Amino acid sequence: MTTKKTYRTIGATAAAAIGLALLTGCGGESAALPQGWEKLDTKSLSVGYPGKKGYKEQPAADRAKANAAVALKEEGGLRTGMVSVQLDFATGVDDADEAASAAGAGIGLGATRKGTEEVRLAGAESAREARRIDYEFTSNGDDRTPAQGTRMTGVVVAGVDSKDVPFAVRINAVKGSLSSQDLDAFVDSITVK
């Protein structure tokens, strides 16, 4: 014999499960952030950045139009580290390979690619496939960047969100200021919507 209490328990359990699925992006899980990290949040994804290492979110009024979100590290008036998110940055892009090709074209002349690999991000199942491109380049010293000739480390993670919007998350920093574990943590902190 089924009682009203049983129906309420079943209903509450179902409601909790539906709510959890909605919060985690259609069944995908959100990426965990390392202790002391903050989060940039956009309509397509969120990504962490190490607030404890001096990175701070840039106000929308101060960032370039192409960027949906930015966190900067500034030292002595110079931008020594940056995390940026670009959305819908290329046309005719339908998958992670095409997004990576378009994002890779923006790395610039003189950059040295260190490798490209497939990565699986947290979040919406249909958008978890992405590509990671590691590279190095030399600062030109323009626009409050480190002195000309300073070696820089870069990582781009590119893919397509669940609404088919291409995205590129870029991490640039003075070489050696972020460990390989820090760079991996950036990638692991991305949750695609």
Side-chain angles (χ1 to χ4, degrees), residues 43 62 67 97 99 101 124 142 145 150 154 165 172 174 193:
K43 64 183 181 180
D62 296 341
N67 292 324
D97 285 324
S101 291
D142 294 341
T145 58
T150 302
V165 174
N172 293 325
V174 171
K193 301 175 186 175

Side-chain angles (χ1 to χ4, degrees), residues 37 47-50 83 171 178 182-190:
W37 282 46
V47 60
Y49 63 91
V83 181
I171 300 124
L178 295 173
D182 289 330
L183 295 173
D184 291 343
F186 275 112
V187 177
D188 292 342
S189 76
I190 299 171

Side-chain angles (χ1 to χ4, degrees), residues 61-80:
D62 296 341
R63 67 180 180 246
K65 212 174 198 179
N67 292 324
V70 174
L72 294 174
K73 180 177 183 179
E74 296 186 312
E75 299 174 280
L78 298 178
R79 296 179 306 158
T80 58

Side-chain angles (χ1 to χ4, degrees), residues 39-156:
K39 181 168 69 169
L40 295 174
D41 200 16
T42 72
K43 64 183 181 180
S44 290
L45 61 87
S46 64
V47 60
Y49 63 91
K52 67 181 180 181
K53 288 194 174 190
Y55 284 76
K56 294 182 181 162
E57 186 168 359
Q58 186 180 40
D62 296 341
R63 67 180 180 246
K65 212 174 198 179
N67 292 324
V70 174
L72 294 174
K73 180 177 183 179
E74 296 186 312
E75 299 174 280
L78 298 178
R79 296 179 306 158
T80 58
M82 181 174 80
V83 181
S84 65
V85 179
Q86 293 180 319
L87 304 177
D88 212 6
F89 66 94
T91 57
V93 172
D94 296 322
D95 61 27
D97 285 324
E98 291 174 354
S101 291
I107 289 174
L109 296 174
T112 305
R113 287 193 188 212
K114 298 294 185 178
T116 301
E117 65 179 294
E118 295 181 7
V119 292
R120 295 262 308 153
L121 305 175
E125 185 60 39
S126 64
R128 294 181 67 190
E129 185 178 324
R131 300 294 177 267
R132 171 182 174 163
I133 304 169
D134 288 84
Y135 60 99
E136 290 184 4
F137 63 102
T138 301
S139 176
N140 60 17
D142 294 341
D143 195 23
R144 295 182 25 234
T145 58
Q148 185 174 2
T150 302
R151 290 301 288 168
M152 306 288 288
T153 297
V155 174
V156 175

